[in-house]
């Protein structure tokens, strides 16, 4: 049975919010059989709190992650918001691609400093069922430890972003595929269905436990600085690459102003970029559906989600020299709602997909704004 909806589940758990779950029961449901594909198994906890296990077929590993919302949505602020995971994933993917591309070009950069600012828009009204979430152009700024010519650095950043493993996500226009099982029975939707069928992961949910690990991969870090921009939503992830191949990133929800979180990403002992990106997409869709269900008095007791995201290999990290594509996100949603009708839940899915900022990013071609942030002028 799902936990009480009036309880701060995440804030009272002893285990970390992010940890390696490769040996968990849930990983059995996240194993995808195609390279560059991530499968996310997520479940609702309490309020806007959710947990997930995301498996990456390329790495063969799985990671437990958890998400919450802050005071702007009356959340407990016990874990990062969905949009934070996406921005951390983009920053990680860009940094790894730029580093590899620099190596291919014989450029000594030393550590990279990277900042990714994501912006989103809102039109219409959620209560009036007319809301559309939108994705706006985002910015990527990169600096280097060693002295690099400004023009060379700009070209390196521009090219690295263009051929990164996530490039198809914001370049291509893909419409998500959905399948919904309501109280054990599949219902009709207006959206196209996923290409495959997956079973209800109810037995794997709530069955994970934290494995022994070294460095903490996530920590709360106070309050964000308020955005000076005009966009309704502004999310920043900024930090630096480290000698062990990972990144240390500070993620801020800058508008509406919220809490900040310190993430470790990439390398051998932290979640990879595509797992973070996939987590953001799935968590964001679930949050929108939860908001809509409460707003329109549709009694939903529990949600479980199985989501497949498929990315191409990076042009530098994957050795293709090309910008990869991105397949439509495939979502299987299992809804426990004995007092809701199929028509109500079908409408919720339509509304949530339109309101979801990260499904908006998938279906919108967004041009990143790239700039060089200079160097620390240290001799190489």
């Amino acid at each position: 049975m799902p936990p009480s909806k009036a309880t701060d589940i995440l804030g009272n758990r002893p285990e970390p919010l992010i940890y390696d779950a490769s040996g968990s029961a849930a990983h059995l449901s996240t194993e995808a059989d195609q390279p560059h594909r991530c499968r996310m198994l997520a479940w609702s906890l309490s309020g806007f709190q959710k947990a997930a296990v995301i498996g990456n077929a390329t790495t063969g590993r799985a990671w437990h992650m958890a998400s919450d919302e802050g005071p702007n949505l009356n959340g407990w602020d016990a874990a990062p918001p969905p949009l934070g995971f996406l921005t951390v994933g983009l920053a990680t993917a860009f940094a790894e691609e730029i580093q590899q591309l620099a190596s291919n070009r014989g450029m000594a950069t030393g550590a990279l400093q990277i900042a990714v600012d994501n912006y989103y828009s809102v039109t219409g009204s959620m209560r009036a069922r007319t809301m559309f979430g939108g994705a706006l152009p985002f910015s990527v700024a990169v600096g280097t430890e060693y002295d690099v010519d400004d023009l060379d650095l700009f070209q390196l950043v521009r090219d690295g972003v263009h051929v990164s493993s996530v490039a198809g996500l914001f370049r291509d226009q893909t419409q998500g595929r959905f399948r919904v099982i309501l109280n054990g029975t599949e219902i009709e939707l207006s959206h196209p269905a996923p290409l495959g069928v997956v079973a209800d992961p109810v037995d794997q949910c709530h069955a994970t436990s934290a494995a022994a690990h070294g460095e903490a991969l996530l920590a709360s870090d106070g309050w964000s600085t308020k955005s000076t921009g005009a966009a309704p939503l502004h999310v920043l992830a900024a930090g630096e690459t480290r000698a062990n191949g990972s990144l240390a990133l500070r993620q801020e929800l800058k508008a509406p102003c919220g809490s900040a979180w310190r993430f470790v990403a990439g390398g051998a002992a932290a979640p990879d970029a595509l797992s973070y990106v996939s987590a953001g997409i799935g968590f964001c869709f679930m949050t929108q559906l939860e908001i809509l269900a409460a707003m329109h008095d549709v009694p939903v007791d529990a949600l479980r989600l199985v989501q497949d995201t498929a990315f191409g290999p990076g042009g530098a990290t994957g050795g293709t020299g090309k910008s990869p594509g991105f397949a439509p996100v495939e979502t299987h949603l299992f809804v426990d709602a004995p007092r809701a009708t199929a028509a109500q839940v079908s409408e919720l899915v339509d509304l949530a997909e339109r309101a979801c900022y990260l499904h908006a990013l998938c279906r919108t071609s967004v041009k990143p704004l790239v700039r060089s942030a200079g160097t620390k002028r240290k001799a190489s």
Side-chain angles (χ1 to χ4, degrees):
M1 294 295 291
S4 166
K5 291 295 181 183
T7 305
D8 178 7
I9 301 296
L10 295 175
N12 293 290
R13 282 186 170 176
E15 65 263 29
L17 296 172
I18 297 178
Y19 58 83
D20 190 328
S22 300
S24 70
H27 190 202
L28 298 175
S29 294
T30 64
E31 291 180 325
D33 58 0
Q34 299 179 38
H36 312 291
R37 180 180 292 269
C38 292
R39 172 163 285 181
M40 175 182 185
L41 186 165
W43 55 96
S44 57
L45 290 172
S46 178
F48 294 124
Q49 293 187 346
K50 292 170 278 291
V53 172
I54 301 98
N56 185 322
T58 299
T59 65
R61 301 178 74 179
W63 297 93
H64 175 280
M65 301 185 193
S67 179
D68 196 7
E69 295 288 352
N72 59 302
L73 289 177
N74 295 319
W76 284 284
D77 212 15
L83 299 179
F85 289 91
L86 183 283
T87 305
V88 165
L90 292 185
T92 306
F94 296 151
E96 291 175 344
E97 207 68 31
I98 291 166
Q99 282 187 310
Q100 184 60 55
L101 196 58
S103 177
N104 294 350
R105 294 178 178 180
M107 296 173 62
T109 64
L112 293 182
Q113 299 86 46
I114 187 166
V116 175
D117 288 88
N118 279 110
Y119 302 91
Y120 304 93
S121 64
V122 179
T123 59
S125 162
M126 186 172 276
R127 188 168 296 280
R129 296 177 167 84
T130 59
M131 175 178 163
F132 277 84
L136 302 174
F138 61 91
S139 68
V140 183
V142 175
T144 59
E145 179 183 7
Y146 299 155
D147 190 358
V148 177
D149 178 81
D150 284 342
L151 179 57
D152 290 342
L153 178 57
F154 172 78
Q155 292 174 335
L156 177 70
V157 177
R158 178 198 62 191
D159 295 345
V161 170
H162 176 67
V163 301
S164 68
S165 56
V166 294
L169 169 67
F170 55 83
R171 183 198 63 235
D172 299 342
Q173 295 174 286
T174 58
Q175 190 72 42
R177 298 175 175 270
F178 293 86
R179 173 174 172 258
V180 174
I181 309 300
L182 172 61
N183 304 321
T185 301
E186 186 166 354
I187 65 174
E188 291 188 8
L189 301 173
S190 62
H191 295 275
L195 301 179
V197 175
V198 300
D200 188 342
V202 62
D203 291 338
Q204 284 76 44
C205 296
H206 312 288
T208 57
S209 59
H213 66 283
E215 180 183 16
L217 302 176
L218 179 70
S220 178
D221 195 38
W223 203 250
S224 297
T225 56
K226 190 173 182 180
S227 175
T228 57
L233 281 167
H234 176 193
V235 188
L236 165 69
E240 187 170 79
T241 60
R242 306 191 302 180
N244 66 2
S246 67
L247 283 86
L249 294 163
R250 187 174 194 264
Q251 178 267 309
E252 298 184 52
L253 181 62
K254 294 175 70 67
C257 193
S259 58
W261 296 85
R262 290 202 175 272
F263 284 79
V264 179
D272 58 279
L274 302 185
S275 292
Y276 274 130
V277 168
S278 300
I281 296 172
F283 283 146
C284 188
F285 174 75
M286 291 177 73
T287 292
Q288 299 303 328
L289 195 145
E290 288 165 339
I291 294 172
L292 285 156
M295 183 173 291
H296 296 293
D297 297 320
V298 181
V300 174
D301 294 341
L303 296 175
R304 294 175 297 281
L305 172 146
V306 178
Q307 172 191 272
D308 287 331
T309 45
F311 307 80
T317 55
T320 67
K322 300 178 181 178
S323 182
F326 179 73
V329 177
E330 299 193 351
T331 302
H332 307 260
L333 190 66
F334 299 86
V335 183
D336 294 343
R339 295 167 291 163
T341 67
Q344 287 176 312
V345 173
S346 177
E347 182 187 38
L348 284 182
V349 172
D350 287 346
L351 296 175
E353 191 275 340
R354 296 203 316 246
C356 179
Y357 302 106
L358 300 189
H359 275 277
L361 180 61
C362 295
R363 62 175 180 264
T364 306
S365 182
V366 176
K367 185 176 181 179
L369 308 175
V370 174
R371 66 182 177 90
S372 159
T375 71
K376 290 189 175 180
R377 304 295 175 185
K378 177 179 177 181
S380 61

